[in-house]
């Protein structure tokens, strides 16, 4: 089964996928959703592919929604002003389905991670296209954040907090009066995510995964993301501590600059322009 499509078009990949059935088709489709380095190199071709995968029948509801989220990310990276509102409408149309997803154990099976992944790209697309849905997205964000049940969180919350904080930075643009409340919740959530991160499996790492010297350790990919989240949280806390409304608004913008999507220079510049 071919699994390297860097030089292929989206149509070529879909043609190969259709020749497969059952488990092989599902495995390849999931690989194409979750491993972007296995997709065509062209973002335009990736969008063609992901557009089809968001309705691929052999996939689970989780997988199809993640295909939609991945497609939204690529459209935003491309700063495609024609496609952006269309894909945002697709995502908003899936809101109720996303809300109904169950909490499971596993990064790609967990409702919490799915919700904030969707909110993150939705907020960026909405910012890119004029903040037409800012009120709706802010309400959804606060409803999700305030409604999180710590007893139902899994160790993967450590990964999820990256999207939660990035969402918070964009939401603060529309709700600057709530930044103190927001920053307080984010600090508590991030602290708890560290507390439960693989706490039950420390013995496994100590016995089988850990080297005998600190200098031989390797950094987890999620740790770098977490460090950036801490910087973003500090920026929001700085804004929350400012009593002057004008100065606070300026600090909220500084936090938002850190939180908007910045995969490419063009994307960063376009989103920074909309932040103001």
């Amino acid at each position: 089964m071919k699994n390297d499509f860097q030089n292929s078009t989206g149509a070529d990949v879909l043609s190969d996928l259709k020749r497969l059935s059952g488990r092989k088709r599902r495995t390849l489709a999931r690989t194409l959703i979750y491993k972007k380095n296995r997709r065509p190199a062209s973002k335009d071709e990736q969008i063609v592919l992901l557009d089809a995968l968001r309705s691929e029948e052999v996939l689970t509801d989780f997988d199809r929604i993640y295909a939609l989220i991945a497609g939204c990310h690529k459209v935003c990276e491309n700063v495609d002003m024609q496609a952006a509102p269309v894909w945002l409408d697709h995502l908003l149309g899936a809101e109720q389905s996303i809300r109904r997803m169950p909490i499971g154990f596993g990064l790609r099976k967990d409702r919490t991670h799915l919700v904030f992944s969707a909110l993150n790209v939705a907020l960026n697309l909405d910012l890119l296209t004029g903040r037409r849905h800012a009120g709706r997205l802010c309400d959804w964000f606060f409803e999700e954040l305030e409604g999180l049940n710590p007893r139902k969180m899994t160790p993967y919350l450590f990964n999820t907090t990256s999207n939660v904080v990035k969402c918070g930075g964009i939401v603060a643009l529309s709700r600057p009066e709530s930044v103190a409340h927001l920053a307080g919740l984010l600090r508590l959530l991030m602290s708890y995510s560290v507390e439960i991160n693989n706490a039950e499996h420390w013995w496994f790492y100590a016995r089988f995964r850990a080297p005998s010297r600190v200098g031989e350790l390797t950094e987890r990919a999620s740790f770098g993301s977490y460090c950036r989240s801490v910087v973003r949280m500090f920026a929001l806390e700085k804004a929350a501590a400012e009593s002057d409304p004008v100065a606070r608004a300026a600090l909220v913008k500084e936090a938002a600059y850190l939180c908007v999507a910045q995969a490419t220079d063009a994307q960063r510049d376009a989103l920074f322009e909309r932040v103001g």
Side-chain angles (χ1 to χ4, degrees), residues 1-2 5 8 10-20 25 28:
M1 179 173 61
K2 183 178 178 181
F5 297 98
S8 302
D12 290 338
V13 180
L14 292 169
S15 178
D16 286 349
L17 193 64
K18 287 180 180 178
R19 296 190 185 99
L20 303 175
R25 183 168 177 171
L28 179 55

Side-chain angles (χ1 to χ4, degrees), residues 35 43 56 74 85 88 90 131 136 158 160 165 180 197 249:
K35 296 185 178 180
K43 291 187 181 69
E56 171 55 58
K74 292 304 168 186
L88 178 56
H90 289 330
R131 295 167 72 176
R136 172 181 175 178
F158 183 84
T160 302
V165 175
N197 185 38

Side-chain angles (χ1 to χ4, degrees), residues 196-210:
I196 66 171
N197 185 38
N198 290 322
E200 296 181 359
H201 307 297
W202 69 267
W203 61 269
F204 175 80
Y205 285 91
R207 294 182 184 182
F208 303 110
R209 296 284 295 275

Side-chain angles (χ1 to χ4, degrees), residues 47-62:
I47 291 168
V48 170
L49 174 61
L50 292 164
D51 191 24
L53 291 178
R54 66 188 180 88
S55 58
E56 171 55 58
E57 61 184 12
V58 301
L59 294 171
T60 66
D61 289 340
F62 268 104

Side-chain angles (χ1 to χ4, degrees), residues 103 111-112 116 143-151 153 157 164 189:
I103 295 175
R111 176 191 181 278
T112 304
F116 288 103
E143 182 179 337
E144 295 291 347
L145 179 58
E146 294 170 343
L148 287 177
N149 183 347
R151 293 181 178 179
M153 297 299 98
L157 181 63
V164 181
L189 186 67

Side-chain angles (χ1 to χ4, degrees), residues 27-43:
T27 298
L28 179 55
R30 296 188 83 247
T31 296
L32 293 165
I33 294 170
Y34 299 118
K35 296 185 178 180
K36 58 185 178 182
N37 64 332
R38 307 286 278 277
R39 303 179 204 146
S42 164
K43 291 187 181 69

Side-chain angles (χ1 to χ4, degrees), residues 76-93:
C76 192
E77 285 180 30
N78 266 1
V79 196
D80 187 334
M81 298 304 294
Q82 286 189 314
V86 175
W87 279 77
L88 178 56
D89 285 347
H90 289 330
L91 190 54
L92 292 174

Side-chain angles (χ1 to χ4, degrees), residues 26-237:
R26 184 182 304 110
T27 298
L28 179 55
R30 296 188 83 247
T31 296
L32 293 165
I33 294 170
Y34 299 118
K35 296 185 178 180
K36 58 185 178 182
N37 64 332
R38 307 286 278 277
R39 303 179 204 146
S42 164
K43 291 187 181 69
D44 290 332
E45 297 302 331
Q46 289 187 46
I47 291 168
V48 170
L49 174 61
L50 292 164
D51 191 24
L53 291 178
R54 66 188 180 88
S55 58
E56 171 55 58
E57 61 184 12
V58 301
L59 294 171
T60 66
D61 289 340
F62 268 104
D63 294 332
R64 284 189 287 267
I65 293 171
Y66 270 118
L68 170 58
I69 291 170
C72 286
H73 274 296
K74 292 304 168 186
V75 168
C76 192
E77 285 180 30
N78 266 1
V79 196
D80 187 334
M81 298 304 294
Q82 286 189 314
V86 175
W87 279 77
L88 178 56
D89 285 347
H90 289 330
L91 190 54
L92 292 174
E95 177 184 343
Q96 293 308 313
S97 296
I98 294 170
R99 285 175 177 266
R100 288 193 296 267
M101 289 295 102
I103 295 175
F105 191 86
L107 189 62
R108 302 304 183 189
K109 299 179 180 179
D110 184 76
R111 176 191 181 278
T112 304
H113 193 76
L114 180 71
V115 164
F116 288 103
S117 295
L119 275 167
N120 177 42
V121 72
L123 284 161
N124 276 282
L125 281 175
D126 189 56
L127 182 61
L128 186 66
T129 55
R131 295 167 72 176
R132 295 176 299 122
H133 305 285
R136 172 181 175 178
L137 292 170
C138 288
D139 288 344
W140 184 10
F141 171 77
F142 274 113
E143 182 179 337
E144 295 291 347
L145 179 58
E146 294 170 343
L148 287 177
N149 183 347
R151 293 181 178 179
K152 294 184 177 181
M153 297 299 98
T154 74
Y156 295 98
L157 181 63
F158 183 84
N159 306 78
T160 302
T161 50
S162 174
N163 279 330
V164 181
V165 175
K166 286 186 285 188
C167 288
I170 301 176
V171 164
L173 288 170
S174 299
R175 303 281 172 86
E177 73 283 358
S178 300
V179 69
H181 174 58
L182 171 61
L185 291 178
L186 292 179
R187 175 173 278 269
L188 292 173
L189 186 67
M190 292 180 70
S191 172
Y192 186 65
S193 76
V194 173
E195 185 177 347
I196 66 171
N197 185 38
N198 290 322
E200 296 181 359
H201 307 297
W202 69 267
W203 61 269
F204 175 80
Y205 285 91
R207 294 182 184 182
F208 303 110
R209 296 284 295 275
S212 59
R213 295 289 186 272
V214 172
E216 297 172 0
L217 290 168
T218 56
E219 182 180 314
R220 290 176 59 182
S222 58
F223 180 72
S225 178
Y226 194 82
C227 288
R228 292 187 289 274
S229 295
V230 171
V231 171
R232 294 174 182 125
M233 182 192 72
F234 286 163
L236 286 165
E237 289 184 335

